[in-house]
Amino acid sequence: MCVCVRVRVWGIGAASECAAERDNHQNPNSSRYAASTDVIRRVPLPPPERWDVHGTEAELSNGETSWSVSYDYKTDTYRPLTIKTNLFCAGGMLLPDGRLAAIGGAENHTDTVGFLADGFRAVRLLSGGDSDDWIDPLNPTALLDTRWYPTVVMLPEGRLLVMGGSYIGVEFNAWWSNTPTFEFLPRRKGETSSVPIQFLWDTLPANLYPIMYVLPSGRVFTFASYKATFGIPPSTRYFETARLPGGPFRSYPWTGFGAMLPLDPANNYKAQVLVCGGSMLDCGWDCNTFDCQQTCQSSSATTLSSCGLIDPEAPWSTSANASGLQPWDMTDSMPYGRVMGDLLNLPDGSILLINGAGSGMAGANLGKDATLEPLLYLPHNPAGSRWQKLSPTSIPRVYHSTAVLLPDGRVLVAGSSPNDPKTPDADLTEPNTYSIEHRVEYFSPPYLTAGLPRPVIQSVSSTAWTAYNASFSLSLANIDAKTCPLGAAAGADFSLVQPGFRTHSTGHGQRMIWLAKKHLSGGAPGDASAGFGLLSPPAAEIAPPGWYMLFATCGGVPSEAVWVQVGGDPGGFAGYTV
């Protein structure tokens, strides 16, 4: 399952493999669980979190399961969509022109729904209209290389970087299936071949769906297996980090998860990347033989609780690290091991960990002991005390599960298909196994269950933030003394969140940026409204072109978001066809 946010919720693949949405809406609450919380950005919030459950299986008119749907989370209804190529395990991105791109996929496939052509080199486009469908023209040259399990990021120049994958669907990558290259979309004249990268050889067999982020320098951070590299493509000069301690593999199928901490003008947009979890067996660092890989594929694999935090471009002392490579800070481990989790940036600056399993690994029936309890990572807490437990769900979300932040501040949680869709319950006689999950949940983080009034973005001078480091004005209303006791002038913050295209524990393009602000009017203690001047991010390296959710927070409680387009469309996607 994969998820992306813009217009409404779109689903693709087995058991709905991808989604995207844009509307602001809150559904009725149906259940409550008790839990405590901690400092979020600045103000402590003590209420419980909440889980709401909706939805059934998406089906075609003949009763067969749909490969792709458009889901309206406001009304809990869906519309089947049509695809021609197999986009199972694709990558993707929300484009600056508002369309969703699904990139790469899998082999041709026939079932009771019909025939899907080979999707390894396909690119498909979907607009957000009420009757729009996938543009999927069966173009075998849309990509230069075949790509199953690629990762996609938006570059500062406004084009997509498509990284890695494999030539065929595999249980784990190997020298004979590897796609150790990257390429760009849209392609420019003369770009007739992909670019090789040694890093994707060095990180076999665990280099599928690498964790990737654009750094403020413009370099692209890429993590796979046990280490990271960063450079400016297509340059061949790359820097590497030290090995992440704790285990040999943290990429598929020993699937760990990562997030970049919020970028903040207060510390000159210092970039820090958090990588956590995964699983391992005692198979060593260099497990490339077939026999070794078979040994390392097991539902009894031990999950990792350790997390590494790294500032890739900060100066470091070689005396503290004999290798001379950028080291990892291993101070904050999770309360317990987890594999296949999802790390999401929330609008208050915290990071939510949701979904996953407590033992095993990714793959058919290989994830066991579902981790029902979300965790919250609080970057501003003292080192060693940044993880906090939240209220559990009752629905297991393991392999092919996903989650995405909604504009109303909730988190949509969906998916989990650890079995063959043709025989979804065939292995349920085995203990600790899970069926395909068709229900959708909405998780309300602590900031939504405090019972405190939420600030309201009453107006923004423009939602087209095409210029960087430009001034925009914003009017904030419904400011309450309980939420913001110091008044909005002192207590209000503003952020941009790109929720990204999320699949297989990887957020393609996900990032959060705090905005520089200037108080203009109102906002004293007791004032119900205030005016602010905001500066758009200073450069495309901080906020690559695309659509972002603009949130206001007061005392840690967020408004509903307003979508803004940052950086225009310098890559020319408005004229891009497949």
Side-chain angles (χ1 to χ4, degrees):
M1 179 108 184
C2 66
V3 184
C4 181
V5 176
R6 180 71 177 101
V7 177
R8 49 178 55 80
V9 178
W10 295 316
I12 57 176
S16 291
E17 180 73 8
C18 178
E21 61 75 50
R22 174 174 59 189
D23 301 311
N24 298 334
H25 182 78
Q26 288 199 33
N27 283 335
N29 302 318
S30 59
S31 60
R32 297 176 183 271
Y33 298 86
S36 62
T37 186
D38 209 325
V39 176
I40 300 177
R41 184 68 171 169
R42 291 185 174 86
V43 177
L45 299 173
E49 306 83 49
R50 183 174 55 242
W51 288 90
D52 305 322
V53 183
H54 297 263
T56 57
E57 181 173 3
E59 295 180 341
L60 301 172
S61 58
N62 63 0
E64 297 291 349
T65 300
S66 175
W67 274 89
S68 180
V69 297
S70 173
Y71 174 60
D72 187 337
Y73 77 95
K74 295 191 304 181
T75 60
D76 195 28
T77 57
Y78 60 84
R79 177 173 60 89
L81 302 175
T82 303
I83 57 172
K84 298 177 183 178
T85 57
N86 190 354
L87 38 59
F88 183 71
C89 300
M93 184 63 63
L94 182 66
L95 303 179
D97 69 352
R99 292 181 295 173
L100 175 68
I103 298 167
E107 65 279 350
N108 60 53
H109 178 84
T110 302
D111 61 15
T112 54
V113 178
F115 174 75
L116 292 178
D118 182 327
F120 284 120
R121 295 194 180 197
V123 175
R124 313 146 198 90
L125 300 173
L126 177 63
S127 299
D130 290 339
S131 59
D132 287 333
D133 211 335
W134 286 102
I135 299 173
D136 189 5
L138 298 172
N139 180 0
T141 62
L143 291 174
L144 294 170
D145 289 342
T146 58
R147 299 191 186 275
W148 184 78
Y149 276 61
T151 296
V152 182
V153 294
M154 181 65 69
L155 295 173
E157 67 187 58
R159 293 199 298 164
L160 295 180
L161 174 68
V162 186
M163 176 74 75
S166 64
Y167 276 85
I168 59 173
V170 290
E171 294 174 338
F172 28 72
N173 216 353
W175 64 268
W176 47 267
S177 59
N178 196 21
T179 304
T181 65
F182 60 81
E183 59 185 279
F184 305 94
L185 292 175
R187 286 198 294 273
R188 292 175 178 160
K189 186 177 181 180
E191 290 180 343
T192 58
S193 60
S194 60
V195 182
I197 179 169
Q198 181 63 35
F199 178 77
L200 293 179
W201 285 113
D202 297 341
T203 50
L204 285 172
N207 66 6
L208 298 176
Y209 278 136
I211 296 169
M212 298 180 65
Y213 292 100
V214 174
L215 301 175
S217 65
R219 296 186 178 106
V220 177
F221 174 94
T222 304
F223 176 91
S225 191
Y226 52 79
K227 64 179 180 179
T229 185
F230 50 100
I232 300 178
S235 168
T236 57
R237 186 186 181 197
Y238 288 85
F239 303 90
E240 286 199 356
T241 69
R243 287 182 168 181
L244 177 57
F249 307 130
R250 294 183 189 252
S251 299
Y252 177 88
W254 305 274
T255 306
F257 31 91
M260 186 162 69
L261 273 56
L263 298 174
D264 194 335
N267 61 14
N268 198 30
Y269 302 99
K270 176 182 178 180
Q272 292 180 290
V273 179
L274 180 71
V275 177
C276 294
S279 60
M280 64 171 289
L281 293 173
D282 187 13
C283 52
W285 288 97
D286 300 305
C287 184
N288 282 306
T289 68
F290 178 81
D291 289 343
C292 180
Q293 291 180 17
Q294 289 298 305
T295 302
C296 287
Q297 185 183 25
S298 171
S299 61
S300 62
T302 301
T303 54
L304 303 171
S305 62
S306 59
C307 294
L309 183 66
I310 194 167
D311 181 351
E313 297 180 308
W316 69 92
S317 170
T318 55
S319 62
N321 179 17
S323 69
L325 301 175
Q326 180 71 290
W328 296 81
D329 179 353
M330 305 300 292
T331 304
D332 286 272
S333 291
M334 300 178 293
Y336 40 78
R338 187 182 300 226
V339 64
M340 297 183 289
D342 288 285
L343 280 173
L344 279 69
N345 292 101
L346 298 183
D348 64 355
S350 62
I351 298 175
L352 178 70
L353 171 57
I354 203 163
N355 300 334
S359 63
M361 56 197 296
N365 289 323
L366 291 176
K368 308 295 182 181
D369 301 311
T371 47
L372 303 177
E373 185 178 59
L375 300 175
L376 200 63
Y377 182 84
L378 302 165
H380 292 282
N381 272 17
S385 62
R386 291 174 180 153
W387 286 106
Q388 178 183 346
K389 296 180 180 180
L390 301 179
S391 302
T393 180
S394 60
I395 300 177
R397 304 282 185 182
V398 287
Y399 190 42
H400 289 148
S401 61
T402 192
V404 68
L405 175 68
L406 299 177
D408 61 25
R410 295 176 303 160
V411 174
L412 184 150
V413 185
S416 191
S417 57
N419 299 294
D420 186 337
K422 297 177 183 178
T423 55
D425 301 319
D427 299 311
L428 296 185
T429 55
E430 297 181 13
N432 200 11
T433 56
Y434 308 103
S435 60
I436 291 177
E437 183 55 65
H438 300 288
R439 289 171 292 178
V440 170
E441 291 176 282
Y442 300 93
F443 177 70
S444 294
Y447 54 63
L448 291 184
T449 56
L452 298 175
R454 302 176 65 180
V456 174
I457 298 177
Q458 197 167 42
S459 64
V460 184
S461 58
S462 174
T463 57
W465 293 19
T466 54
Y468 289 97
N469 205 38
S471 297
F472 298 89
S473 61
L474 179 146
S475 177
L476 197 60
N478 202 42
I479 302 166
D480 188 87
K482 292 180 181 178
T483 306
C484 212
L486 300 179
D493 291 295
F494 303 90
S495 63
L496 296 176
V497 180
Q498 165 53 275
F501 177 105
R502 177 160 292 277
T503 184
H504 292 73
S505 301
T506 308
H508 301 199
Q510 176 183 259
R511 69 201 291 122
M512 177 183 172
I513 305 124
W514 291 109
L515 296 175
K517 64 176 182 178
K518 180 181 180 181
H519 171 238
L520 299 178
S521 63
D527 287 352
S529 61
F532 291 88
L534 302 179
L535 277 180
S536 61
E541 289 78 9
I542 305 297
W547 288 89
Y548 292 75
M549 294 188 288
L550 169 63
F551 286 96
T553 59
C554 211
V557 178
S559 67
E560 294 196 6
V562 173
W563 283 97
V564 296
Q565 185 186 22
V566 176
D569 183 19
F573 277 103
Y576 175 63
T577 61
V578 292

